Amino acid sequence: MIIILDNALSPTTFSEFKIDNFNGKTKWFSVGEANIYNKLIEIAKEYFNFNNLVGYEVWTHSNTIPIGDNDDGWHKDRDELSYHVRKLFRFPICSIVFYVKVKELKGGELVVEDTVIKPKENRLVIFGPGLIHKVNEFKGERISFNLNPWNRKLDKYS
């Protein structure tokens, strides 16, 4: 399942999102922590079962392309530690991509399996666990927040 929502947040709420690259880090937020990203989680709850949600990871792609499993960029969002140490595939409840800045962009589409999604400010994309995806090469500005909600706390955050 792939959900694409334009104008996902009100203009006021959208303006509260600060473009922050977390200094290249991924942050963990536990359920109950007050922050702006909860707005995106609340929307995703309408489409996926979050009954066992314990928290979520957040990171940004600020004019960057995710590294894939090969050199082609294709990958699946997963618990990287479990995969690399135990060779276990553990997937988040869903994957969330929220575009906060898109300017003079040529390319940069998010490709989820065979669906091509053009970046657009205030566009929210939510897709199911284990779906292979990539970002096409691009020129211009493309900044997104990315969230992976989990039903267990990942070892790397313990």
Side-chain angles (χ1 to χ4, degrees):
M1 174 170 36
I2 303 168
I3 295 96
I4 303 168
L5 302 171
D6 287 338
N7 301 312
L9 300 176
S10 71
T12 302
T13 304
F14 180 72
S15 70
E16 293 174 20
F17 273 82
K18 305 291 185 238
I19 298 172
D20 174 6
N21 67 6
F22 299 153
N23 297 320
K25 304 282 185 200
T26 301
K27 289 187 181 179
W28 174 266
F29 294 97
S30 295
V31 169
E33 284 186 59
N35 62 70
I36 192 69
Y37 312 107
N38 285 330
K39 304 280 187 187
L40 304 175
I41 293 294
E42 288 302 314
I43 295 170
K45 281 182 181 179
E46 296 177 25
Y47 301 94
F48 289 88
N49 181 347
F50 280 44
N51 288 342
N52 296 318
L53 178 71
V54 299
Y56 52 93
E57 301 174 280
V58 179
W59 68 97
T60 60
H61 277 291
S62 183
N63 297 314
T64 58
I65 294 178
I67 298 169
D69 291 331
N70 302 310
D71 290 336
D72 60 5
W74 288 101
H75 66 281
K76 296 178 181 183
D77 291 347
R78 63 187 177 215
D79 177 341
E80 293 294 334
L81 189 60
S82 285
Y83 176 73
H84 290 291
V85 173
R86 300 180 190 98
K87 301 299 181 210
L88 293 175
F89 277 105
R90 291 184 173 157
F91 301 115
I93 296 168
C94 64
S95 295
I96 301 169
V97 178
F98 182 62
Y99 296 101
V100 293
K101 187 170 185 182
V102 177
K103 188 174 178 183
E104 298 178 16
L105 187 67
K106 290 186 183 357
E109 299 87 0
L110 171 64
V111 183
V112 182
E113 301 205 326
D114 60 354
T115 302
V116 179
I117 304 158
K118 184 176 180 179
K120 178 180 175 185
E121 286 184 9
N122 202 5
R123 174 172 277 176
L124 181 64
V125 180
I126 310 164
F127 55 93
L131 296 183
I132 192 162
H133 58 283
K134 73 173 188 165
V135 173
N136 287 335
E137 294 284 333
F138 66 92
K139 291 186 180 184
E141 289 188 84
R142 180 190 185 281
I143 301 173
S144 64
F145 282 93
N146 305 271
L147 290 79
N148 280 348
W150 291 90
N151 58 14
R152 62 183 189 77
K153 190 166 186 179
L154 303 182
D155 293 339
K156 68 181 181 178
Y157 299 112
S158 297

